[in-house]
Amino acid sequence: MPLYDYKCKDHGVFHQLATMADSGKPQACPTCGVASGRIIMIPPEVLAMAPEKRKAMEKNERARHEPHFSTTDSRAEEAEKKAFELKRSGCCGHRASGAHHHGKPQIIGAAPDQSNLKQQVIYLADGSKVFPSQRPWMISH
């Protein structure tokens, strides 16, 4: 049986074994016997976590059940969406730096140059893939 946390308003947190069906029902405080509701305790590491890390962990948890497949089309769509958001907000995308565009003109709505991302793929007879000369140190999937 799982161990659940409950909180008495006078005596604080206590732990009680309960079936999963009875986990939401109040349990009697071991000190005073008053029915006390179940609480869900959050570890302090989660509360003190940096917002960026928490956001990344939430995104990973969602992706566990709803994987995001990166394709050329989805990356182009994401770039268009980001460009639209930047255009709508009137911001160039730089946050803390005072230099905008690093002296280069920015074209809003232009897709990023992906010519250097193209890879040559060779399929072997056993169905495996080889990506020659791009990064010879990488292991193919």
Side-chain angles (χ1 to χ4, degrees):
M1 255 195 289
L3 187 64
Y4 294 102
D5 301 317
Y6 297 88
K7 185 173 182 181
C8 173
K9 63 180 176 180
D10 296 326
H11 299 103
V13 176
F14 64 94
H15 313 289
Q16 186 73 31
L17 287 173
T19 64
M20 290 175 72
D22 294 336
S23 65
K25 297 177 182 174
Q27 297 289 328
C29 173
T31 307
C32 63
V34 173
S36 304
R38 180 176 167 206
I39 61 169
I40 298 176
M41 296 181 66
I42 300 174
E45 302 87 39
V46 174
L47 295 174
M49 188 182 301
E52 297 83 18
K53 185 174 181 181
R54 184 179 303 140
K55 194 175 192 178
M57 290 180 77
E58 289 171 0
K59 184 176 182 179
N60 286 340
E61 182 62 26
R62 280 193 311 273
R64 181 175 157 220
H65 303 292
E66 301 170 14
H68 174 75
F69 296 100
S70 179
T71 63
T72 305
D73 293 336
S74 68
R75 289 189 298 271
E77 185 177 308
E78 191 68 31
E80 287 176 15
K81 181 179 175 184
K82 185 182 276 188
F84 175 76
E85 290 296 324
L86 289 174
K87 184 178 179 183
R88 189 174 73 170
S89 69
C91 177
C92 66
H94 291 80
R95 295 190 185 265
S97 70
H100 292 284
H101 314 296
H102 304 286
K104 299 176 186 174
Q106 181 179 10
I107 302 170
I108 305 230
D113 180 25
Q114 295 182 349
S115 60
N116 61 348
L117 299 177
K118 294 180 182 175
Q119 293 183 346
Q120 181 182 10
V121 179
I122 298 174
Y123 292 92
L124 300 178
D126 64 353
S128 62
K129 296 186 239 179
V130 178
F131 302 93
S133 75
Q134 288 276 325
R135 294 181 177 96
W137 61 89
M138 290 182 63
I139 298 172
S140 180
H141 293 37

